[in-house]
Amino acid sequence: MDDMRTAFGNTAEAILDSDPLAAVVVADISADMFAKAAARHPDRVLNVGIREPLMISVGGGLSLAGMHPLVHSYAPFLIERSYEQIKLDLAHQGGAAVLVSVGASYDVARGGRTHHSPGDVALLDTLPGFAVHVPGHPTEVPALLESAVGQGHSSYIRLSATSNASSLPVSPTLQVVRQGTRALVVAVGPMLDPVIDATRDLDMTVAYATTVRPFDAAGLRALAVADSVVLVEPYLAGTSLRLVDEVLADRPHRSLGLGVPRVELRRYGTPEDHAHLYGLDAAGIRRSLNGFLPPA
């Protein structure tokens, strides 16, 4: 099985071959992955060097010229380092690019804080019109990428080195994995497996989301038949909680947002170490659920 990054590279290469308006823009990172595609399409595979803000500006310019740019790097370099260019050269100018990141929140734990980006989705939430997709398995990546190209608005596809054991059909709506009565737990992308493990013997509905912007408001209302909703995201805790509360504003409800907390571990280790210390493994999620829900 390919990992998400390889699935992205293969799909992007196929898009370059089939869509004469498609272009890939990188800033050294992953340039080798597109070497063969660059040989076939030297005018549509662009490496700007270690200049991530320029990478976004080039993508914005290509978009305004009618092209379909795919812009790719590690999440902290693609989103945080280049935020001003995303704000001005894409959002403000009405450009449309597909931003594809790797590294996720702490996938590159050994790289230290410079390579962590739990706040990327929250940062994009300050801008209008961005679609956000969070695949949970490599085989979900092609459909999400293909559907994002040429849509007339910008999208962010957040790839991770962590994935669920199996894939689900890609859908813009919430997908029910298990039915229950005590609460609704929404698992985003690669958080599905730990959520399934954490709730295995609990009477809860578990729903799966790969598209979080736009958020499936109708699906949430239909599934939130109990008064308790838990949202488990692989980035900054509570990023989408405001949307849950807005959708259910006319109903009495309790909500809990689990994700990467607003603390800095200041240590290296592995992604699994970070998930454990942040309470995002199955045991940590179970503790949070037990603390949030009233006794059965």
Side-chain angles (χ1 to χ4, degrees), residues 89-215:
D89 296 341
L90 288 177
H92 178 65
Q93 296 290 344
V98 181
L99 310 184
V100 183
S101 73
V102 291
S105 293
Y106 42 74
D107 279 357
V108 194
R110 290 185 174 89
R113 187 63 173 170
T114 57
H115 285 65
H116 299 180
S117 186
D120 52 350
V121 176
L123 193 56
L124 288 181
D125 260 354
T126 65
L127 301 175
F130 259 89
V132 178
H133 309 286
V134 188
H137 190 275
T139 60
E140 297 167 3
V141 173
L144 289 172
L145 182 60
E146 290 164 357
S147 66
V149 175
Q151 291 302 304
H153 59 76
S154 289
S155 297
Y156 178 44
I157 300 179
R158 191 181 200 265
L159 308 182
S160 177
T162 301
S163 66
N164 302 315
S166 59
S167 64
L168 290 174
V170 169
S171 171
T173 62
L174 296 176
Q175 300 181 66
V176 177
V177 178
R178 180 192 296 148
Q179 289 277 9
T181 62
R182 289 189 64 201
L184 168 64
V185 184
V186 177
V188 175
M191 299 310 302
L192 179 60
D193 275 6
V195 165
I196 289 293
D197 289 344
T199 60
R200 192 167 302 281
D201 59 342
L202 300 178
D203 182 21
M204 297 179 178
T205 294
V206 175
Y208 178 54
T210 55
T211 295
V212 293
R213 301 292 184 277
F215 197 85

